[in-house]
Amino acid sequence: MVSNRNFYNKLAVGAPAPEKELENNLERVIHFFPPHIKNVIDKLPEITKESDVILGNLEDGISPKDKIKARESLAKIGQQLDLSGTGLWTRVNSIDSPWFLDDISYLIENLGNKLDVIMLPMINDENEILFADRYIALNEAKFNLTKQIKIHVILETAEGVMNVEKLARSSPRLHGFSLGPADLAASRGMKTIRVGGGHPDYGVHGDRDINNKNRKFYQQDLWHYSLSKMIDACAANGIKPFFGPFGDFDDPEGCESQFRNSFILGCSGAWSLHPSQITIAKRVFSPSKEEVEKAVKIIEAMGDGTGAVKFDGKMQDDATVKQSMVLIDLAKKIKEKDPEIGEEYKV
C-alpha cells in the first residue's frame, strides 16, 4: 500500500501526474464490443454516438487465437472513430495471462491519449492494482502521454469482494469498480448459470394465510450484498461504482429491473453487451421527470438549506437537500449531454 504522503507521486519518470479529482463524466452505459468482428465494427460509428462509453473487449469472449487480432483491430478502430463526447475504454486480459503486458504497451503506443480507461479483470488484492499502475505509468512515459489513463477494476472473485475496501484506496489512478456477477458466482460456488439478474429459486416465502393457502414466494436479489459493499467502498474513496453485465438479451424487463436496483443503490451506470441494452441503461440511469421536479421543490422549500420544513406531508431537512442535489446534479449533466432525455428536466 502506498502511504498517504506519497499517494499522488508519479510511478515513472516522465509519466503524467495523477489527477486529484476524478472527471465527472456522464457514464450511464459502457458498451462492450469485440474489436475483431467486421459486422460489429461496421456498426460502431452509430453505436458510439448513442453510448456514453464504448469498450473494446480483449478478454472473455475473445478466443486465444483471436487475442492479438482483436488488440490490433482495437488500436486501428480507436484512431479512426469520432469519439467526441464518448469515452474509449478497453478490458485487457488478466495480469497473469500471456497477453497482459503486450495489451498494455501496444494500446498505449498506438492509442495514446485517446484511451481513457483500462479495465482490469480478476483482481484479488491491491498489489495487483499497484503492479498494473506502475506498468501503465512506465508505458505512458515511454510513449509521451500527457494525460493519465485510469484503471477500472472488475470485482468478480470472493477474495476481491473481501478486499474491496483496500482495493478502492490503493491508487489515485482508479476510476471505479464494476460488479462481475458471472465469475463471482463461480468463485463462490453459487448454483446459478445466469449472467446477472436473479434466480427463480432464490427467495423467501411470505406468511401463510388463515387457511394455510395462497402462500406467496418473493424472488430476492442475489447481488445486493456484494453490490452494496462495492458501492460503499467506491463512495468512501471518491470513485465510481457500476453494475456489470446482464446476459439475457431477450429479457429486457429483467435487465431493466436489475439496472434500476443498481441505479437506486448508487451505481453510475452498467454494461451493455447488446445494442438493445444501451437504450435501457440510458433510460434507467437517468432520473424520472417527477423525481427531479420533487427534488427541485424540496430545495426551494428549504430556502438556505438549514433547519427543517414539512413538504408533501413529510419532514424535509438538510439531509433531504443532499439527497435532492444528487438527482439535480445528475439531471443537469444529462440535459447538457443528452437533450432528448433531459429536455423535460426543469433544472
Side-chain angles (χ1 to χ4, degrees), residues 29 143 157 202 209 220 227-228 256 265 269-270 280 289 329:
V29 56
F143 298 112
T157 68
Y202 184 79
D209 64 16
Q220 303 291 293
L227 191 61
S228 297
E256 183 161 340
L265 275 175
I280 295 172
K289 171 189 173 183
D329 289 345

Side-chain angles (χ1 to χ4, degrees), residues 137-191:
L138 287 165
N139 279 278
E140 288 172 334
K142 180 178 180 180
F143 298 112
N144 302 309
L145 268 64
T146 57
K147 185 183 75 171
Q148 187 184 64
I149 297 170
K150 292 297 183 183
I151 284 176
H152 187 98
V153 171
I154 312 177
L155 202 63
E156 51 188 342
T157 68
E159 187 176 355
V161 173
M162 293 299 296
N163 291 330
V164 67
E165 293 93 343
K166 293 179 181 179
L167 299 179
R169 61 175 183 262
S170 64
S171 167
R173 193 185 291 274
L174 283 174
H175 165 277
F177 283 72
S178 286
L179 188 74
D183 277 301
L184 179 55
S187 173
R188 284 178 170 161
M190 294 169 65
K191 311 308 184 288

Side-chain angles (χ1 to χ4, degrees), residues 32-78:
F32 276 57
F33 69 92
H36 63 298
I37 298 180
K38 186 179 184 305
N39 66 337
V40 172
I41 295 170
D42 291 343
K43 299 173 184 176
L44 270 181
E46 190 60 35
I47 288 175
T48 301
K49 294 177 185 177
E50 295 296 320
S51 301
D52 295 329
V53 174
I54 58 167
L55 181 148
N57 181 34
L58 305 181
E59 195 222 6
D60 284 356
I62 310 297
S63 68
K65 67 181 178 62
D66 290 325
K67 295 285 190 183
I68 296 175
K69 180 181 178 182
R71 179 200 300 154
E72 293 174 348
S73 180
L74 174 58
K76 183 178 179 181
I77 293 165

Side-chain angles (χ1 to χ4, degrees), residues 29 45 65 83 92 134 158 162 166 178 203 226 229 243 262 284 309 347:
V29 56
K65 67 181 178 62
L83 294 166
V92 296
R134 177 84 68 175
M162 293 299 296
K166 293 179 181 179
S178 286
S226 302
K229 188 174 183 181
F243 192 81
S262 306
V284 169
V309 299
V347 292

Side-chain angles (χ1 to χ4, degrees), residues 7 14 20 24 55 84 94 179 245 253 260 281 293 333:
F7 189 72
K20 294 188 178 182
N24 197 19
L55 181 148
S84 52
S94 61
L179 188 74
E253 293 85 3
R260 181 165 286 107
E293 286 178 350
K333 285 199 296 182

Side-chain angles (χ1 to χ4, degrees), residues 294 298 308-317 320:
K294 185 175 180 179
I298 289 171
V309 299
K310 186 177 181 180
F311 174 79
D312 196 23
K314 302 178 181 66
M315 189 276 289
Q316 315 289 347
D317 60 10
T320 325

